[in-house]
Amino acid sequence: MDLNLFFSQLLNGLSSGAIYASLALAIVLIFRTTGILNFAQGEMALFSTYVTWWLADQGLSIGLAIAISVAVSFVGGAVIERVVIRPFEKASPLVIVIATLGLFLALNSLTQVVFGTDAKQLGSAFPDTVWDVWGLRIEAQTIGILVVLGLECVALWVLFQRTRIGLALRAVADNPEASRLLGVRVGTMLMFGWGLSAALGSLAGAMVVPTTQALTASSLQSVLVFAFAAAALGGFDSPLGAVVAGLIVGIARALTIQYIEPLNNIELVVPFAIILVVLLVKPAGLFGSTQVERV
Amino acid sequence: MSLLEVVDLSAAYGPIQVLHGISLTVDAGEVVVVLGANGAGKTTALRAISGLVAAKGELRFDGVSILGRHPESIAHRGVSHVPQGRGTLAGLTVDENMRLGAYSRRDREGIAADLAEWYDTFPPLAKRRSQTAGTMSGGEQQMLAVARSLMSRPRLLLLDEPSLGLAPLVTKQLFETLATVNRERGIAMLLVEQNAALALELAARGYVLEAGEIVASGTAENLSRDGEIRKAYLGR
């Protein structure tokens, strides 16, 4: 076996896996605080990415464009919670699923109406340096993406474990009514959670586009599928699970493409086969604690 | 002026009317008990006062109307509701629960001092401060619910069946602590309780709630001498 080829595919898998992990983190964040599976997460990230593209197109540096887009997405996510999701607060989970699917379609169309349907080019925030380590090609892009994921994890950990607002977010996820009685403004916390999640999605979008060819209205859809897969594999209520499973799914996909040649699109099958097996053995996911109800 | 004034308060769950215009007061520093059978509306009364259930009528805390306000803002005003089932944040640690009790406060030193004091008052909680709250016994969780409420420095504690599911000895200790807290801190309490004997010992006054209406009221002494109340709630 060509070890070099194996490791270079492993690196490929890690970098796409880190992006799945980012979006899976966003999904898990909303699920933990609200119990909602947000099917519009990918399209929220899509819109954010177009915002990043537009800002860069206006002449802003890519880093600044991403930073502003993250902030805009935070506000946008909070507004979506308040305007689109909150009215269904007491509705059945099925209704909320439909609402997020509606949001999916609406955001996709809105993106095309606002930004047009032609493919856009978005540069990378990272230099295109390539290092040669014992014959293995390591791209700065890959390392950059992994570092961003690492920073996201540290930032979320500090937020949830070390700050007052993080503690309140966890309280709301645990028992909303008891939290209200303690004076925690549950509505504000839900908006904050959705905002945070949209901000993470914005980062994921800004990282994924430079690795593919161009930005189109369908750019984030396969990413969403793999991110959902990662969230299921890791356990919908586990941020750690989202990260580990995101990387697993990314690696599984990359290695499948490399080593299982005969079938077209086989890379879509293998990660899901792994997930199926894991969930048969451990329905709550690798790190999850609650059983996910079927809706 | 009473600390809490409830006048002609009604509440319903959908089409089912649960409270039919009840009136009661709690003075500053006073302990008041509401007695009543299961389904009489005791829990609903507390939930209406803390804003969890929509109500009609008049509801004033410290002279200001709190009717229709969010539970969060009523909590910020100094009403702390220890709900039935204790409202434990089960996945958080004891310490995190306690710190959330002080969520409406900003004075870091005061919070730290209170934390130390309540851990002193409730040693089992201090021993388990980094334990996940949901893994504690019922008695310990009830202790936590009360201690957590006290962390907000409330002026009024609403206590819903604190003795529920507790061993008699644990209940007795809990009521002794409540009496101490009331005496030393002057925190008023509105207590809903099935254990009428203990509750009437703690309280200065009481009301009897039947089918959503107040049917009797008086000092704890008079209520515990009343023949019918003795038969219905004291079992003798």
Side-chain angles (χ1 to χ4, degrees), chain A residues 160-161 163-165 167-168 170-172 174-187 189, chain B residues 47 50 52 70-73 75-76 81 83 87-92 96 99-101 103 105-106 148:
Chain A
F160 281 104
Q161 299 296 331
T163 69
R164 187 178 124 91
I165 194 165
L167 186 59
R170 285 161 59 212
V172 169
D174 194 296
N175 187 339
E177 186 176 289
S179 304
R180 302 187 81 179
L181 291 177
L182 297 174
V184 177
R185 297 188 193 284
V186 173
M189 290 303 141
Chain B
R47 290 172 68 86
S50 64
L52 288 173
H70 290 300
E72 295 95 315
S73 76
H76 278 274
H81 184 168
T88 309
L89 298 164
L92 276 55
E96 287 168 342
R99 281 193 285 137
L100 276 159
Y103 186 76
R105 295 169 57 188
R106 294 283 187 172
R148 186 179 68 181

Side-chain angles (χ1 to χ4, degrees), chain B:
Chain B
M1 185 183 66
S2 298
L3 182 65
L4 177 75
E5 289 174 276
V6 177
V7 183
D8 199 21
L9 195 74
S10 303
Y13 289 109
I16 303 157
Q17 191 79 22
V18 180
L19 291 181
H20 304 272
I22 63 163
S23 299
L24 58 85
T25 60
V26 180
D27 286 340
E30 190 186 28
V31 180
V32 173
V33 64
V34 177
L35 301 175
N38 271 332
K42 304 183 303 279
T43 293
T44 307
L46 291 193
R47 290 172 68 86
I49 293 168
S50 64
L52 288 173
V53 171
K56 289 193 195 102
E58 289 172 49
L59 183 57
R60 276 186 297 275
F61 182 69
D62 205 15
V64 181
S65 173
I66 53 169
L67 192 76
R69 299 222 174 239
H70 290 300
E72 295 95 315
S73 76
I74 291 173
H76 278 274
R77 281 162 192 273
V79 179
S80 190
H81 184 168
V82 180
Q84 203 173 44
R86 304 164 193 130
T88 309
L89 298 164
L92 276 55
T93 66
V94 170
D95 215 46
E96 287 168 342
N97 269 272
M98 292 290 279
R99 281 193 285 137
L100 276 159
Y103 186 76
S104 54
R105 295 169 57 188
R106 294 283 187 172
D107 53 323
R108 278 168 170 270
E109 288 92 36
I111 291 172
D114 281 11
L115 199 58
E117 171 158 2
W118 296 125
Y119 276 143
D120 220 37
T121 312
F122 301 97
L125 294 182
K127 221 169 57 192
R128 300 180 187 278
R129 55 197 300 168
S130 48
Q131 187 175 326
T132 310
T135 61
M136 297 198 302
S137 73
E140 287 162 343
Q141 287 192 35
Q142 189 64 60
M143 233 182 249
L144 174 61
V146 171
R148 186 179 68 181
S149 270
L150 293 170
M151 284 299 294
S152 70
R153 288 203 180 163
R155 284 194 291 161
L156 174 65
L157 260 188
L158 305 176
L159 296 156
D160 196 347
E161 301 270 7
S163 74
L164 200 73
L166 302 192
L169 188 65
V170 178
T171 306
K172 199 163 166 289
Q173 285 169 346
L174 181 68
F175 273 71
E176 275 164 15
T177 311
L178 288 175
T180 313
V181 165
N182 171 255
R183 201 172 48 238
E184 290 177 357
R185 294 283 180 130
I187 297 170
M189 300 178 187
L190 180 60
L191 173 72
V192 153
E193 187 50 71
Q194 298 255 347
N195 190 333
L198 264 179
L200 285 169
E201 252 175 61
L202 176 65
R205 286 189 304 119
Y207 297 86
V208 179
L209 196 60
E210 261 172 37
E213 288 177 63
I214 301 232
V215 295
S217 64
T219 62
E221 205 179 336
N222 285 343
L223 286 176
S224 30
R225 272 199 231 115
D226 185 297
E228 277 183 44
I229 289 168
R230 291 179 69 97
K231 211 161 48 183
Y233 303 108
L234 296 169
R236 55 198 145 127

